[in-house]
Amino acid sequence: MLTVTVDGVSLHYRDEGKGPPVLLLHAFPLNGSTFDKQVKALSGRYRFIIPDIRGFGESARGDGPTEMSRIARDALSLLDALNLDTAVVGGVSMGGYAAMALLREDAGRVSGLVLMDTQATADDAEGKARREASATQALEVGVEPIIQAMLPKMVATGPDSPVAQEVAALMRAASPASVAAALRGMALRPDSKDMLARYAGPALVIVGEHDAITPPAKAEEIAGLISGAKLEIIPDAGHLANQEQPDRVNAVLDAFLTSLQGHSD
């Protein structure tokens, strides 16, 4: 098992494939295995570096809220450990928040940006209060109520579909303490609009047509902020487009990554 230790916290990651490096950050409250279908389809041409975000999968949690800047610094430490100056940086949902935080920490490390089913805005007071209520609930009664509330919004195919069952199993594997820490960390994230407007590099914005959590309007806002961003709306997908419609997401991701090769040659 591949691990890197950051500030005494052991973080698990995968490093698979050959070619230009692509760092992918997963959604809440899942783990790096959510990118299996991307790795399987595209690792012949790209090198995927996929950490389990602290507290999820095989990674230890550490103390306090799992802030997006903390996840970003973990990812930068991983790139350092692998002697990688730059990588394409992508993320889904919470992973997207973390990718934007990484851009804020060190934009020079980002050779391309992929934001999937996420949003650039911070939580409002009501959103922060909802996250705190969910965090308290996770610690008091466990993650099941959160799964029941989130799952119908996560996938478009309905809670009984194979992909929904897969997502539910990943959610059930998350510890209540890690779920609470991530919820509190997401509530603390700043607005990223001005930073995205300053980003001059290539960007791909992907959103599921039926995303109920960060709907297409949020993706359109992000794409509008980044000059030259490409927006792809994935039909028949909800909030986890890369898991629900992997072939369609793989095709647009592959096209974007291929286009970057033209920039660097």
Side-chain angles (χ1 to χ4, degrees), residues 49-61:
I49 295 149
I50 302 177
D52 285 338
I53 287 171
R54 53 171 59 211
F56 297 99
E58 304 289 331
S59 290
R61 188 176 81 249

Side-chain angles (χ1 to χ4, degrees), residues 155-216:
V155 291
T157 50
D160 299 321
S161 66
V163 70
Q165 293 303 308
E166 199 178 293
V167 168
L170 291 173
M171 293 170 89
R172 287 191 181 102
S175 77
S178 296
V179 165
L183 284 162
R184 287 167 173 160
M186 286 189 281
L188 292 168
R189 75 184 191 282
D191 190 292
S192 293
K193 291 199 295 286
D194 53 337
M195 184 200 57
L196 289 174
R198 287 196 302 273
Y199 173 63
L204 172 65
V205 183
I206 294 173
V207 66
E209 171 189 26
H210 305 298
D211 188 337
I213 297 176
T214 50

Side-chain angles (χ1 to χ4, degrees), residues 4-231:
V4 62
T5 302
V6 182
D7 298 336
V9 177
S10 173
L11 304 173
H12 169 251
Y13 67 95
R14 291 158 66 192
D15 183 350
E16 291 180 41
K18 289 186 167 53
V22 181
L23 173 81
L24 295 178
L25 299 163
H26 64 78
F28 168 87
L30 309 175
N31 62 52
S33 71
T34 52
F35 296 114
D36 282 355
K37 292 191 169 83
Q38 282 69 54
V39 172
K40 191 170 180 214
L42 301 175
S43 59
R45 292 192 294 290
Y46 310 104
R47 177 183 176 186
F48 287 98
I49 295 149
I50 302 177
D52 285 338
I53 287 171
R54 53 171 59 211
F56 297 99
E58 304 289 331
S59 290
R61 188 176 81 249
D63 301 323
T66 304
E67 293 196 53
M68 301 306 103
S69 55
R70 175 74 270 178
I71 301 169
R73 290 194 300 276
D74 289 344
L76 288 166
S77 296
L78 175 54
L79 293 179
D80 291 344
L82 297 173
N83 295 309
L84 291 170
D85 294 332
T86 63
V88 174
V89 175
V92 178
S93 192
M94 175 179 77
Y97 303 155
M100 289 181 256
L102 192 153
L103 189 65
R104 183 182 285 110
E105 292 280 328
D106 195 348
R109 305 292 290 273
V110 181
S111 59
L113 187 64
V114 182
L115 297 173
M116 301 189 239
D117 296 285
T118 191
Q119 58 189 335
T121 47
D123 288 350
D124 58 15
E126 191 186 329
K128 286 186 167 77
R130 271 200 308 273
R131 288 203 204 272
E132 182 52 41
S134 293
T136 304
Q137 182 182 44
L139 292 171
E140 288 175 356
V141 301
V143 296
E144 198 58 36
I146 294 171
I147 296 170
Q148 297 307 325
M150 280 183 75
L151 197 58
K153 299 182 199 162
M154 298 279 262
V155 291
T157 50
D160 299 321
S161 66
V163 70
Q165 293 303 308
E166 199 178 293
V167 168
L170 291 173
M171 293 170 89
R172 287 191 181 102
S175 77
S178 296
V179 165
L183 284 162
R184 287 167 173 160
M186 286 189 281
L188 292 168
R189 75 184 191 282
D191 190 292
S192 293
K193 291 199 295 286
D194 53 337
M195 184 200 57
L196 289 174
R198 287 196 302 273
Y199 173 63
L204 172 65
V205 183
I206 294 173
V207 66
E209 171 189 26
H210 305 298
D211 188 337
I213 297 176
T214 50
K218 295 280 193 180
E220 286 160 10
E221 179 181 42
I222 292 172
L225 290 165
I226 304 172
S227 59
K230 189 160 176 46
L231 173 65

